[in-house]
Amino acid sequence: MKRWKSVLIFLIASMIMLSLTVPSFAAKDKILAYTTLDEPLARAVFEAYEKDTGVKVEWVRLSTGEAVARMEAERKNPQVDIWFGGVGLGHIQAKDKGLTTPYVSPNAKNIPAKFKDKDGYWTGIYAGALCFVSNINRLKELGLEAPKSWADALKPEFKGHIQMANPASSGTAYNVIATVVQLWGEEKGFEYMRDLHKNISQYTKSGSAPGKSAAIGEIPVGLGYAHDQVKLISQGYPLVITFPSEGTGFEVASISLVKGGPNPELAKRLIDWALTERAAKLYAAECVVPFVDVPLKKGAVPISQVNTINQDDVWAAANSERLIERWQNEIYRR
């Protein structure tokens, strides 16, 4: 009996020592996140963070519109600590709705002023310009050339051959509306969207879906962000990217700290890490263009080399609900 008591005491002591030396992944040691990064990039980023720090990130992938809606619904009982990725317009909207809280990372000094919030509510991690992506084989079959301007996309020969996301669920698609309105004014911009509607085959839920449809030849032309298409091209799909010659809009994928989240201090450390060269190399490996200077994937075009509009994201965020509602009433539901 004494022998078994000695063994039991030894085992208990060993368990106590083990608990003091092995890191625990209790709830308090986890970061809870909504992310609008594509799933492969999200997985690569969060797995690298866990490897570097030992802190696990549990995440759910949502579109920009879905993320804002979810955080608003959870306002009184926030379920996550951080929103990672997603169009900057959505982050401005989240700020205006009081869903996020400011945090100025010491690493934010690496980010140009126009790509981060002056009050510290959100910080950009990469930028990408709106573009057309066309399947070369489908274009050849139909005797078409890839659109090189917003005007080209209205040509009758593209009827039923263009796909874009639904602005009600996709920040990418809302940026299309915001872009044409800032180019030509609201009335002419909506006249353009009405004409474009005639050539749209389908409005998808996600902003990256049209490029994927073009990649497999489901449709000839998609509208989306360039980095999504560069990734598909790197995988061997027969695609060509063209930017609207009149000027195009762009996204600033950003990160925000959720107001009232359960683990704010851990989330701040993730934001610090997200602005480092280590993280930037992961973004670039997935074909996006980070603000930290790192080598880019073949085919990726820095936003400085694209004819972009003089984009007012604060105006676009403030007017998003009104413009999306107008688009739904005057175009989508007609």
Side-chain angles (χ1 to χ4, degrees), residues 5 41 54 78 86 89 112 149 153 168 184 199 206 211 274 318 333:
K5 283 184 178 180
L41 177 54
L89 296 177
S149 65
W184 302 307
N199 288 351
S206 165
R333 293 172 181 157

Side-chain angles (χ1 to χ4, degrees), residues 7 10 19 135 148 178 206 211-212 288-289 323:
V7 172
F10 174 78
S19 68
N135 184 295
K148 297 181 177 64
S206 165
K212 294 173 182 176
V288 301
V289 181
L323 293 177

